Amino acid sequence: MTFIFLLLNEHWGDFFKMNFGNTFTRIGFILEEGRLFKVFGIFLIGICAGRHIRNHQLLNNAPFLKRIAIFGLLLGLPMSGLRAYIELMLAPSQLNSFLITLTYALGTVPCALGYAALIALIYRNKPHLLQWIAPAGKMAFTNYILQTVFGIAFFYKLGLGLAGEFGFTVIMLIAMSYFLMEVLFSTIWLKYFKYGPLEWLWRQLTYGKRLQISKSKAL
């Protein structure tokens, strides 16, 4: 409830103080959970997977992908559910804090691998089922920032102030509706431009040179 109250205040200064203070709180949580090591490990897994995809045609190895999907989801989903139960239903304690950290590690990474393998299998067999969301992925940076803008405008008192007004079901429907709007926006944008606006800016900063964003030289 305290968090909802902070979202519903109308002063930019209070928001700045809240987010500035939350920065240090967040760092504390990250260190306490050992997330730096987890994230580094996930990066290594991603590098390894990327190299195997490029050098060993990993996406064409359907039996291997099926094993990853089954193992990842069978381990990850129960661990994630157990973590939610411990965190939401049980009283805080040192043991429960350890179990939350353990189930997070055993739930998040296997789930991610399982979902990735499952998506790869679906795309391998029926690519048309996923092609329609590709534009949103090509503009992931832009869409990520726009989600923040939408969230502030929709939930914060600086905007519509609707924080705490809806249950989880309505929130999920809002999230899915907004994602569909992102897909539509990205599809229309990429008909006329090569990159999303923030992707274009990031590429220019990375390469150190100006890049043409429009698909038409006349623009």
Side-chain angles (χ1 to χ4, degrees), residues 107-175:
T108 303
V109 176
C111 266
L113 293 173
Y115 288 139
L118 186 61
I119 291 171
L121 285 169
I122 294 173
Y123 186 78
R124 183 176 180 274
N125 296 321
K126 298 183 181 295
H128 63 279
L129 293 179
L130 296 175
Q131 285 177 340
W132 66 277
I133 63 174
K138 293 178 181 179
M139 291 177 52
F141 186 19
T142 297
N143 287 326
Y144 179 76
I145 298 302
L146 287 177
Q147 287 174 5
T148 301
V149 174
F150 170 78
I152 292 173
F154 194 80
F155 294 108
Y156 283 37
K157 190 65 174 180
L158 298 172
L160 297 177
L162 295 176
E165 296 294 326
F166 307 108
F168 286 119
T169 302
V170 176
I171 291 295
M172 289 300 297
L173 290 174
I174 292 172

Side-chain angles (χ1 to χ4, degrees), residues 19-53:
N19 288 322
F20 184 76
N22 283 345
T23 300
F24 299 99
T25 304
R26 183 64 175 162
I27 291 173
F29 283 138
I30 289 172
L31 294 175
E32 181 183 9
E33 294 179 349
R35 191 168 298 187
L36 291 177
F37 304 102
K38 298 171 193 173
V39 172
F40 181 67
I42 292 171
F43 271 118
L44 293 179
I45 292 173
I47 292 172
C48 180
R51 289 178 176 176
H52 277 74
I53 289 172

Side-chain angles (χ1 to χ4, degrees), residues 2-3 7 22 43 45-46 48 51 63 66 84 86 88 97 101 112 120 147 157 210 214 217 219:
T2 301
F3 179 70
L7 292 182
N22 283 345
F43 271 118
I45 292 173
C48 180
R51 289 178 176 176
K66 288 178 181 178
I86 295 171
L88 298 176
S97 178
T101 300
Q147 287 174 5
K157 190 65 174 180
R210 182 171 179 80
S214 65
K217 293 183 179 180
L219 294 178

Side-chain angles (χ1 to χ4, degrees), residues 46-92:
I47 292 172
C48 180
R51 289 178 176 176
H52 277 74
I53 289 172
R54 185 182 63 185
N55 299 328
H56 303 291
Q57 298 297 313
L58 180 63
L59 296 181
N60 292 325
N61 190 342
F64 176 74
L65 291 174
K66 288 178 181 178
R67 289 196 296 271
I68 293 295
I70 293 172
F71 173 78
L73 296 178
L74 284 180
L75 175 62
L77 290 176
M79 288 295 104
S80 296
L82 180 58
R83 175 176 181 260
Y85 175 78
I86 295 171
E87 193 164 6
L88 298 176
M89 304 301 294
L90 301 184

